[in-house]
Amino acid sequence: MKTRKIIATLFVLIAIVLGAILFSKIAFPDTLDGYFKKAYYNQFGPMAISVELLIAGIYLFRGHPKTNFVLALFAFTALLDPFFNLIGLFTSQVPFYAMVLFVICALVALWLAFSNAFQLGRISFFAALGSFILGNAVELFFNYF
């Protein structure tokens, strides 16, 4: 239980720090029509990944039964961003330092989710598939809105 709470606290702290840094980099438009442009909404993709990490950390800290699904959702979203960037599907808005931290957290989260390390309920095939599909949807939404 102690290890679970330490990992969860680290996830929450990383999410809060990166979320604050990423939020400070968002450029808000001066005119009303700027809020209806794709470039404005693309800025929120990295924030969405940070929020997913925050929620996964809170679920892990509390030991919620759906923790493994949320961990897998975060992991797929965080890993798909650099993958899509690498294959040229889109240019990632996530800064390099944040991408490295997200990938490290995603690998840990993926391992925790699929190994059921803290006995929080094994993730089913359909839940894993659903988290993969939702991860794709989040990534594609913020880059092809």
Side-chain angles (χ1 to χ4, degrees):
M1 182 163 121
K2 196 174 202 181
T3 308
R4 177 177 56 97
K5 290 194 176 191
I6 290 171
I7 293 171
T9 304
L10 285 173
F11 280 0
V12 168
L13 288 174
I14 290 170
I16 290 172
V17 169
L18 285 179
I21 292 170
L22 295 170
F23 183 76
S24 70
K25 293 183 183 237
I26 293 176
F28 294 97
D30 296 331
T31 60
L32 185 60
D33 65 335
Y35 287 99
F36 299 104
K37 294 187 177 175
K38 180 183 173 197
Y40 173 67
Y41 292 102
N42 285 353
Q43 302 178 90
F44 290 97
M47 281 293 301
I49 299 172
S50 186
V51 168
E52 284 182 0
L53 178 59
L54 177 67
I55 293 169
I58 291 170
Y59 269 47
L60 184 60
F61 190 84
R62 291 187 176 188
H64 194 276
K66 299 292 181 187
T67 299
N68 289 334
F69 173 79
V70 177
L71 285 170
L73 174 62
F74 158 72
F76 286 130
T77 305
L79 291 173
L80 286 169
D81 187 74
F83 176 73
F84 287 157
N85 185 34
L86 186 65
I87 64 171
L89 192 58
F90 60 79
T91 303
S92 177
Q93 300 293 322
V94 181
F96 182 73
Y97 61 89
M99 191 179 294
V100 169
L101 283 173
F102 283 146
V103 166
I104 291 169
C105 290
L107 292 174
V108 171
L110 213 56
W111 177 75
L112 290 175
F114 287 109
S115 70
N116 194 23
F118 299 117
Q119 279 71 38
L120 296 173
R122 208 165 263 297
I123 190 167
S124 70
F125 171 76
F126 293 112
L129 183 64
S131 64
F132 179 74
I133 291 169
L134 282 174
N136 276 300
V138 168
E139 273 307 304
L140 295 176
F141 175 77
F142 283 106
N143 291 290
Y144 286 109
F145 179 75

